[in-house]
Amino acid sequence: MSFDVDSSIPYIYYRLCFTLPEGVNNLSLSEWQLLGRGISLTDITADGGSITEGLEALVDHQGETSTKAPLTAVYKSVGNYAISSYAITSTTGKAPTAWTLEGSTNGTSWKVIDQQTDVQFPYSASTFVRNLSVTS
């Protein structure tokens, strides 16, 4: 499934909502990076913003976070940024297999940017990188 992202509509808030299969209650997640145009051209999550919902360790660049699910993480950036891709790194244990990435300018109204289902992380501590179609 692919979603076009209008690069003229940057977001301040990004929300990652994980969907777990029935009977699964644990999720191992290490790192979440938003990539695009920001202070760092490669990592918007390095702009000094913060996690407003979920674990701050998701953007600590340490790669050792393990969290319980269901999980929703919200990142509030310092400025408005257009996202071109994102990355999720798993840890040992149950890697996520499905999620929705959303963007918001106010933290209340959300727009779906990307949805993934049936994702397979090939090994522990591997990183899933999703390049998004950006419209001009």
Side-chain angles (χ1 to χ4, degrees):
M1 188 174 296
S2 176
F3 294 87
D4 287 335
V5 179
D6 186 344
S7 61
S8 67
I9 304 174
Y11 297 107
I12 295 174
Y13 296 88
Y14 290 92
R15 180 166 69 181
L16 192 57
C17 305
F18 291 95
T19 305
L20 297 177
E22 187 175 323
V24 174
N25 60 3
N26 288 316
L27 174 69
S28 294
L29 188 65
S30 169
E31 194 71 21
W32 174 31
Q33 290 179 290
L34 297 168
L35 309 166
R37 292 180 286 161
I39 285 179
S40 167
L41 291 178
T42 59
D43 189 358
I44 292 169
T45 46
D47 77 342
S50 62
I51 293 284
T52 61
E53 183 178 337
L55 296 174
E56 188 70 32
L58 287 176
V59 294
D60 66 2
H61 299 90
Q62 296 297 315
E64 298 171 355
T65 306
S66 185
T67 181
K68 300 245 185 221
L71 175 72
T72 298
V74 177
Y75 181 77
K76 181 182 180 192
S77 63
V78 173
N80 289 330
Y81 300 125
I83 185 173
S84 60
S85 59
Y86 66 96
I88 297 173
T89 303
S90 70
T91 59
T92 58
K94 179 65 179 163
T97 59
W99 58 81
T100 302
L101 176 66
E102 301 170 320
S104 174
T105 57
N106 59 17
T108 304
S109 302
W110 297 92
K111 179 180 177 185
V112 173
I113 296 172
D114 188 50
Q115 283 184 310
Q116 293 296 310
T117 59
D118 300 321
V119 174
Q120 299 297 316
F121 286 83
Y123 51 87
S124 293
S126 62
T127 300
F128 174 90
V129 178
R130 173 78 166 139
N131 292 316
L132 302 170
S133 299
V134 179
T135 60
S136 50

